[in-house]
């Protein structure tokens, strides 16, 4: 693969001198290190997006470290794997210059997996009588976050284009 890729770039550079420099400027430095479209944000922007805005279970992610501490075996490895993938995605996009809310969406399945595995570990660690309490607390937390995050559509929130004609 490396040989084929190297051959392609070498031949392309011979056919059009300056191609490798243009690729390096555009794909490695330009789009990543320079703001495109006027969307500069601080490096911590995506942490706020995940915790407060687009990821519905953002506040519940505080249970992931606790789940990691009580988990064992494959469940613990799953929490580590999902957390590392989500952390890597957050790190890469947080260090880029242009930040838009939907850039971080690929991390959401891994955040959800880490949260689900943590809830499983916490529920499995509790005794039979405590398990009911843990599951009830998890359910109450999910309902509380959903109720807090729910924003019913009002006339002001609906874009003007959505109100054209009869529905």
């Amino acid at each position: 693969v490396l040989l084929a890729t190297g051959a392609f770039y070498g031949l392309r550079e011979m056919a059009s001198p300056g191609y490798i420099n243009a690729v390096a400027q555009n794909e490695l430095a330009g789009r990543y290190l320079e703001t495109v479209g006027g969307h500069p944000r601080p490096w911590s922007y995506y942490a706020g997006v995940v915790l407060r805005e687009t990821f519905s279970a953002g506040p519940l992610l505080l249970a992931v470290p606790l789940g990691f501490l009580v988990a064992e075996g494959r469940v613990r490895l799953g929490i580590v794997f999902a957390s590392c993938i989500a952390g890597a995605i957050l790190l890469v996009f947080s260090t880029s210059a242009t930040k838009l809310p939907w850039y971080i969406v690929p991390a959401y399945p891994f955040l959800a997996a880490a949260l689900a595995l943590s809830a499983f570990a916490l529920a499995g660690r509790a005794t039979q009588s405590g398990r009911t309490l843990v599951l009830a607390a998890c359910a109450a937390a999910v309902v509380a976050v959903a109720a807090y995050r729910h924003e019913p559509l009002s006339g002001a929130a609906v874009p003007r284009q959505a109100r054209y004609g009869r529905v």
Side-chain angles (χ1 to χ4, degrees):
V1 172
L2 290 177
L3 183 63
T5 303
F8 169 78
Y9 279 111
L11 291 172
R12 186 69 172 93
E13 180 68 24
M14 287 184 351
S16 177
Y19 176 75
I20 291 178
N21 187 31
V23 167
Q25 180 61 32
N26 187 36
E27 295 180 8
L28 301 178
R31 291 184 185 189
Y32 189 74
L33 298 176
E34 296 174 9
T35 303
V36 177
H39 299 284
R41 304 276 195 269
W43 68 270
S44 61
Y45 171 71
Y46 287 121
V49 167
V50 168
L51 290 175
R52 292 187 307 268
E53 293 178 27
T54 58
F55 186 63
S56 298
L60 299 177
L61 288 173
L62 299 174
V64 171
L66 185 59
F68 171 77
L69 292 175
V70 301
E72 297 174 347
R74 297 181 100 177
V75 174
R76 181 178 233 176
L77 289 176
I79 293 171
V80 169
F81 175 76
S83 299
C84 286
I85 297 294
I89 293 170
L90 283 165
L91 179 66
V92 167
F93 285 111
S94 292
T95 55
S96 70
T98 302
K99 294 177 181 69
L100 293 168
W102 55 85
Y103 285 2
I104 205 66
V105 169
Y108 291 178
F110 297 101
L111 293 172
L115 184 57
L117 289 170
S118 297
F120 177 79
L122 290 169
R125 186 71 179 227
T127 62
Q128 185 59 36
S129 60
R131 188 170 295 149
T132 304
L133 181 63
V134 169
L135 291 174
C138 287
V142 168
V143 169
V145 167
Y148 175 73
R149 297 284 179 134
H150 177 68
E151 296 178 20
L153 287 177
S154 66
V158 178
R160 188 178 303 256
Q161 291 85 357
R163 294 187 294 207
Y164 289 153
R166 287 191 179 272
V167 179

